[in-house]
């Protein structure tokens, strides 16, 4: 674990450190979250206890947040996704977020800096449904304006593995194991 001082003395943040073994474990889980601990250990040539301890530490330090299935929305009849940017009255942000959370088509809400205040990822069945959803969003007190951008395809799906590999480059596999060959 690293301690990072940010400017002022009172502002200290604890950063979790990961090494290449952690990254390899996370890679196996990313490929298939149902991979068993024994299978991961065998593939990496380490003990089951090592993988178990590493996974527990990754969870305890807030690096590994959980396991979720990846749902193919078009396969269940929801073929359209869009990013809806919102301009809002920032004083009403908590109630706006609560209102968005109540809409089933809202998959994710992110606060951002820039011209728009919120970025809302939505999934809908049709353009007509998108219009109804937009009307419901605008009806939330404090929402001033929406702008929608439809997703056509996802040539690079959400991923973190390349970034983790870069962060852990040259760290080895902990104290007792040298860096794995590339």
């Amino acid at each position: 674990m690293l301690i990072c001082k940010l400017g002022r003395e009172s502002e200290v943040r604890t950063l979790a450190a990961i090494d290449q073994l952690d990254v390899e474990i996370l890679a196996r889980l990313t490929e298939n979250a149902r991979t068993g601990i024994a299978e991961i250990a065998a593939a990496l040539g380490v003990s089951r206890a090592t993988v178990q301890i590493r996974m527990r530490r990754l969870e305890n330090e807030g690096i590994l947040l959980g396991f979720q299935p990846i749902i193919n929305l078009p396969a269940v009849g929801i073929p359209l996704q869009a990013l809806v940017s919102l301009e809002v009255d920032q004083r009403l942000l908590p109630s706006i977020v609560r209102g968005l959370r109540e809409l089933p088509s809202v998959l994710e809400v992110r606060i951002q800096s820039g011209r728009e205040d919120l970025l809302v990822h939505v999934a809908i069945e049709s353009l007509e449904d998108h219009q109804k959803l937009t009307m419901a969003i605008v009806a939330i007190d404090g929402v001033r304006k929406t702008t929608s951008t439809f997703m056509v395809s996802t040539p690079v799906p959400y991923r973190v593995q390349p970034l983790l590999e870069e962060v852990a480059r040259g760290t080895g596999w902990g104290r007792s194991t040298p860096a794995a060959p590339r």
Side-chain angles (χ1 to χ4, degrees), residues 6-119:
L6 304 170
R8 300 182 299 252
E9 285 291 321
S10 62
E11 205 173 354
V12 175
R13 233 174 66 195
T14 304
L15 302 175
I18 62 171
D19 62 19
Q20 288 179 344
L21 179 55
D22 295 326
V23 171
E24 289 295 328
I25 291 168
L26 292 170
R28 298 293 187 292
L29 293 170
T30 299
E31 288 171 18
N32 181 359
R34 297 186 332 175
T35 305
I37 291 173
E39 189 178 337
I40 293 171
L44 298 176
V46 297
S47 74
R48 186 178 196 280
T50 297
V51 173
Q52 229 168 356
I53 290 166
R54 292 293 187 115
M55 285 180 61
R56 189 175 308 120
R57 181 182 58 79
L58 292 168
E59 288 179 279
N60 291 340
E61 292 180 1
I63 295 169
L64 181 58
L65 299 177
F67 302 90
Q68 290 183 313
I70 299 169
I71 309 298
N72 179 358
L73 291 175
V76 295
I78 306 169
L80 299 175
Q81 292 186 44
L83 296 173
V84 183
S85 300
L86 305 184
E87 244 179 69
V88 303
D89 179 343
Q90 292 183 2
R91 295 172 297 180
L92 299 175
L93 195 58
S95 65
I96 294 168
V97 170
R98 277 193 301 276
L100 291 168
R101 186 178 283 125
E102 291 175 11
L103 300 172
S105 294
V106 171
L107 303 178
E108 179 180 36
V109 177
R110 293 186 179 247
I111 296 173
Q112 62 184 22
S113 64
R115 198 164 82 199
E116 289 89 16
D117 304 298
L118 297 175
L119 187 62

Side-chain angles (χ1 to χ4, degrees), residues 132-152:
K132 290 175 187 173
L133 177 61
T134 301
M135 291 170 67
I137 290 172
V138 172
I140 298 170
D141 189 34
V143 175
R144 294 182 179 145
K145 179 183 173 194
T146 70
T147 305
S148 295
T149 303
F150 284 89
M151 297 178 180
V152 176

